[in-house]
Amino acid sequence: MIEILTKWALPVLLAALLGFIVWRKQKEEERFQMAKDRLHAAFDPTLGRLAFARDYKSTHEAPDIDSQLDSALPMQTEAIESYRRFVPKDGQPEYDKAWDDYRGWAKKSQGVFAARYVIQEDPKFIIKEDPHDFIAKKIHTILHFAKEK
């Protein structure tokens, strides 16, 4: 009886263990992809709005990008937090810094208007960068963490 159990039970248990490991890996990959998609879904519309506002030829009736940046922050915060578990431990400080840097500019008291003023008035900004591109770079820094594993 024991010979039969060892003959059949061990391979069945090994197959079950292997199946469980593969299943767990697939579930983790699904969670990663969902968090990555959520991060892009939170930031991609903002990138589009920034590009539209940058290319807007008139200052008259220009899109109010600052309030759009501010209103997108709750969804972006949720996406940042849901993706955090997929950032390696050694990358966490850079991830937090990139988020804090962007969030500081996206708040209602900052935004494109403030970036325009700081870029034009601060001597450390030698290159007169477009404020829309300035904020878009901060978003791209965050999205850099959402690359493939």
Side-chain angles (χ1 to χ4, degrees):
M1 180 73 172
I2 291 179
E3 292 175 7
I4 294 174
L5 284 177
T6 56
K7 184 178 179 182
W8 293 102
L10 188 59
V12 168
L13 286 175
L14 287 175
L17 180 63
L18 181 63
F20 176 73
I21 291 170
V22 168
W23 176 79
R24 283 279 310 244
K25 183 71 175 160
Q26 287 176 336
K27 285 295 181 188
E28 187 66 15
E29 185 61 34
E30 286 176 18
R31 288 185 194 108
F32 166 73
Q33 195 61 43
M34 286 175 55
K36 179 182 167 188
D37 292 345
R38 189 173 180 188
L39 194 66
H40 277 280
F43 284 97
D44 288 349
T46 303
L47 285 172
R49 289 183 189 112
L50 284 166
F52 176 74
R54 180 192 61 229
D55 297 337
Y56 203 79
K57 300 299 180 197
S58 170
T59 56
H60 181 64
E61 296 181 20
D64 181 16
I65 191 68
D66 291 339
S67 66
Q68 292 174 358
L69 287 171
D70 188 53
S71 66
L73 276 174
M75 187 171 88
Q76 292 168 345
T77 302
E78 290 175 15
I80 285 286
E81 293 306 319
S82 71
Y83 190 78
R84 180 177 305 284
R85 66 181 286 224
F86 298 104
V87 177
K89 295 288 183 206
D90 60 338
Q92 290 284 337
E94 292 92 13
Y95 185 71
D96 290 336
K97 182 182 179 320
W99 169 238
D100 290 340
D101 195 22
Y102 166 75
R103 186 177 53 191
W105 284 103
K107 286 182 181 175
K108 192 142 187 99
S109 63
Q110 296 285 328
V112 173
F113 180 77
R116 181 178 293 120
Y117 176 77
V118 169
I119 288 171
Q120 291 172 353
E121 300 298 323
D122 193 338
K124 75 178 180 180
F125 287 101
I126 296 171
I127 300 171
K128 300 298 184 196
E129 186 175 11
D130 182 84
H132 300 90
D133 292 337
F134 175 76
I135 293 176
K137 282 182 184 175
K138 297 188 177 311
I139 293 173
H140 286 296
T141 303
I142 293 169
L143 293 179
H144 174 72
F145 288 94
K147 57 186 176 198
E148 295 298 323
K149 281 187 173 182

